[in-house]
Amino acid sequence: MSVQETTLEIHLDNLQHNVRQLKKHLKEGTRFLAVVKANSYGNSSVAVAQYLEKKDLADEFAVAFTSEGIELRKAGVTRPILIFHPQLVDFEDIVRYNLEPTLYSKRLITHFIDFAKEKQLHQYPFHLKCNSGMNRLGFSVEEIDEVCELLKGHEELKVRTAFSHLLASEDLQARPFMEKQIALFKAFQKKLENHFSHKIIYHNCNTSGILNYPEAHFDMVRSGIGMYGFANDPRLQKDFKPITTLKSIISQIHTIQKGDYVGYNFGFQAQKPMEIATISVGHADGLNRIYGKEVGFVFIKDKKCPIVGNVCMDMIMVDITGLDYEEGEEVVIFDERHTSETLAETAKTISYELITSLSRRIKRVFIED
């Protein structure tokens, strides 16, 4: 579709395609948890979760922070929502909105037990985070017996899932370490089964784990970036379709002379007569300053046009010298062909950083054929 302002097009059919591609790798009965944190990686957590729930494509959802889970509940999402990184101050809202916290430290567990007693909860579901080598959040295997003893006898709470996280599942050279992590997570499972008689759901794999470590799928898998169209592997990328297209328009065209400057702080000086197009997207929209000074680029009529000078808060300027363009012409920052991954790589970063930075002020349009 053609646009008249900076617009993020979100292709829901591609989202469905990607989820189905991921599920092809799963054995029957494996649950699928859709990661919709960070506004669904810059798209729209509400729209994505609503769509996945309506199409019965996700068994449950996960977000990073409690406020994200509340937003989904207020939008009518009913399936389980895991909170990866709750804090003590979140307990009231977690229970009020029927969210499921990850308990990752003894401090958090102790306070949540006290809270559950005070509120007279009964078997309130929570998730136990196991640290198998990332050393970010979670319990070590040496701590887990003590943690289970803390939880024993508390009918107020019930561990629903236990999970860990592979730290480099996309890197095939890291397989020996990933196999150590998987083995360690199995050791966690044995310890937990010694303490609890009910069935605990185990999950360990992110998108690259789904694709590269079928032996570690266990009862459930989690996917974020794969749903949004990135396999983290050139061999498998052909099976996935990026769901996000970021477009804008040329607001104005300037003809400049040799020696003229463009943008802030003398960021670019013309070495010859040039034509410069100003486009209404900038670092406040998520196109960060690292893409300035001819690192980043856009496409106009499928021609690659480098960004010149510094990226401004609300605008970029690009070199269109020798090209027959007009004001109001459509500009593609990234799409299914010229992907955000390609743009991010030019700045030595990753697609995650670029797309999760996309501002909520950008107009979003949802496309479903």
Side-chain angles (χ1 to χ4, degrees):
M1 67 175 264
S2 96
V3 302
Q4 316 233 323
E5 60 184 314
T6 302
T7 302
L8 194 69
E9 297 175 355
I10 299 163
H11 300 267
L12 295 173
D13 292 312
N14 286 4
L15 175 64
Q16 180 170 189
H17 167 85
N18 296 332
V19 173
R20 294 197 184 283
Q21 283 297 124
L22 289 161
K23 287 186 172 184
K24 286 180 182 179
H25 295 264
L26 307 180
K27 67 180 184 295
E28 188 175 353
T30 305
R31 293 176 69 79
F32 187 87
L33 183 151
V35 180
V36 293
K37 63 181 179 177
N39 204 27
S40 273
Y41 289 44
N43 292 285
S44 166
S45 56
V46 165
V48 167
Q50 286 175 333
Y51 178 80
L52 293 174
E53 188 167 83
K54 179 182 75 173
K55 295 288 186 180
D56 198 24
L57 290 168
D59 297 294
E60 44 199 281
F61 299 99
V63 293
F65 302 131
T66 300
S67 58
E68 297 174 303
I70 293 170
E71 183 181 25
L72 295 181
R73 285 287 185 247
K74 287 183 174 179
V77 174
T78 62
R79 294 191 179 183
I81 299 173
L82 182 161
I83 309 298
F84 281 132
H85 199 170
Q87 303 294 342
L88 301 184
V89 295
D90 295 328
F91 292 164
E92 290 277 359
D93 282 336
I94 282 170
V95 171
R96 180 180 300 123
Y97 290 97
N98 191 27
L99 306 172
E100 299 181 7
T102 298
L103 301 184
Y104 50 82
S105 71
K106 283 181 270 191
R107 169 178 172 263
L108 206 63
I109 282 182
T110 301
H111 282 86
F112 198 56
I113 289 171
D114 291 342
F115 174 82
K117 284 179 180 176
E118 180 190 336
K119 297 298 180 182
Q120 298 183 315
L121 303 180
H122 180 67
Q123 295 199 335
Y124 195 88
F126 70 92
H127 305 255
L128 207 57
K129 181 64 185 289
C130 304
N131 177 13
S132 63
M134 183 172 275
N135 296 313
R136 189 172 59 173
L137 290 176
F139 299 103
S140 68
V141 73
E142 292 78 19
E143 293 176 292
I144 206 68
D145 284 323
E146 182 185 350
V147 167
C148 292
E149 289 298 329
L150 269 176
L151 291 164
K152 267 189 179 175
H154 291 292
E155 287 298 308
E156 299 90 357
L157 302 177
K158 184 177 182 179
V159 55
R160 191 167 83 81
T161 87
F163 69 100
S164 192
H165 196 49
L166 300 173
L167 65 84
S169 55
E170 75 283 1
D171 181 0
L172 297 181
Q173 300 301 312
R175 179 170 285 275
F177 193 84
M178 298 307 97
E179 289 172 349
K180 286 181 182 178
Q181 280 196 281
I182 293 165
L184 187 57
F185 186 52
K186 288 178 179 177
F188 274 105
Q189 294 177 30
K190 285 184 180 177
K191 283 181 174 282
L192 289 168
E193 284 160 7
N194 287 336
H195 289 277
F196 299 104
S197 58
H198 70 278
K199 169 61 182 170
I200 296 172
I201 296 169
Y202 296 110
H203 50 113
N204 195 39
C205 283
N206 56 1
T207 292
S208 295
I210 293 169
L211 300 175
N212 294 328
Y213 294 94
E215 70 274 23
H217 289 176
F218 301 115
D219 304 302
M220 183 162 71
V221 297
R222 310 183 298 269
S223 181
I225 198 70
M227 292 199 308
Y228 308 116
F230 298 98
N232 287 336
D233 187 333
R235 297 173 304 125
L236 301 171
Q237 186 56 48
K238 66 183 185 308
D239 297 329
F240 292 84
K241 300 178 180 180
I243 76 167
T244 307
T245 296
L246 180 59
K247 295 179 179 178
S248 190
I249 62 167
I250 296 175
S251 296
Q252 190 173 12
I253 294 173
H254 291 282
T255 299
I256 63 172
Q257 303 304 315
K258 181 178 179 179
D260 285 350
Y261 294 100
V262 176
Y264 283 117
N265 303 113
F266 312 107
F268 179 82
Q269 186 175 31
Q271 302 303 306
K272 60 182 180 180
M274 299 178 69
E275 286 190 303
I276 301 294
T278 300
I279 298 159
S280 63
V281 62
H283 60 73
D285 302 295
L287 193 67
N288 296 328
R289 282 171 58 88
I290 56 174
Y291 297 101
K293 297 186 176 180
E294 301 176 87
V295 172
F297 45 81
V298 302
F299 290 87
I300 310 174
K301 290 184 179 176
D302 219 29
K303 297 286 187 183
K304 189 175 182 179
C305 303
I307 299 170
V308 298
N310 290 307
V311 173
C312 306
M313 185 179 291
D314 312 300
M315 287 169 271
I316 55 172
M317 288 69 73
V318 304
D319 180 6
I320 60 167
T321 305
L323 301 173
D324 184 22
Y325 297 149
E326 298 178 356
E327 294 177 356
E329 198 97 54
E330 186 173 275
V331 176
V332 171
I333 293 93
F334 52 78
D335 62 8
E336 191 174 333
R337 287 182 58 225
H338 310 296
T339 69
S340 58
E341 187 169 54
T342 302
L343 179 57
E345 284 173 353
T346 66
K348 297 182 172 56
T349 186
I350 56 176
S351 57
Y352 300 68
E353 183 177 59
L354 174 55
I355 61 178
T356 59
S357 297
L358 296 174
S359 170
R360 292 196 183 211
R361 78 176 183 177
I362 299 172
K363 178 182 177 181
R364 282 158 169 79
V365 174
F366 302 94
I367 298 171
E368 184 179 2
D369 292 334

